[in-house]
Amino acid sequence: MNEATHHLFDAAAFEAMRGDAHLLNVARGAAVDEEALVEALDAGEISGAGLDVFEAEPLPEDSPLWDVDEVIVTPHRVGSDREYWRGVAAIVRGNVDRIREGGEMTNCVV
């Protein structure tokens, strides 16, 4: 995220969209001005939103997005399909084998 993409979808962007438009954000949470999104939905400027990422994660319990009927909230898992989990399983299997052989694990997050 940089200055050019922070709140890329703001009040002006929502005003420019068609009334039947839906916003889907699976990229970066900060690309969407969440306050402006709620206002645009309340005003009928757009019809709905599907959000998998948010400015603050997890989405705070007091976020107004929870109460907007036209919003579908998902738990930041859009990239998790069968192939993703197969890849994870392959990494784990490889790391178990490396540990058994006295080697170093790969893909460690420290």
Side-chain angles (χ1 to χ4, degrees), residues 81-94 107:
D81 63 7
R82 264 189 226 144
E83 292 306 312
Y84 170 81
W85 290 111
R86 285 183 182 133
V88 168
I91 292 168
V92 170
R93 277 192 306 272
N107 292 17

Side-chain angles (χ1 to χ4, degrees), residues 50-97:
L51 306 172
D52 190 56
V53 292
F54 309 93
E55 290 192 76
E57 291 192 5
L59 185 62
E61 289 182 27
D62 63 348
S63 170
L65 291 168
W66 290 114
D67 300 320
V68 179
D69 290 338
E70 299 83 11
V71 173
I72 296 173
V73 172
T74 59
H76 199 153
R77 297 189 38 95
V78 166
S80 298
D81 63 7
R82 264 189 226 144
E83 292 306 312
Y84 170 81
W85 290 111
R86 285 183 182 133
V88 168
I91 292 168
V92 170
R93 277 192 306 272
N95 279 336
V96 168
D97 290 343

Side-chain angles (χ1 to χ4, degrees), residues 12-37:
F14 296 126
E15 288 172 14
M17 295 170 77
R18 290 177 22 173
D20 62 348
H22 286 74
L23 173 78
L24 301 177
N25 188 8
V26 296
R28 297 282 183 243
V32 175
D33 179 338
E34 293 173 2
E35 184 177 327
L37 172 61

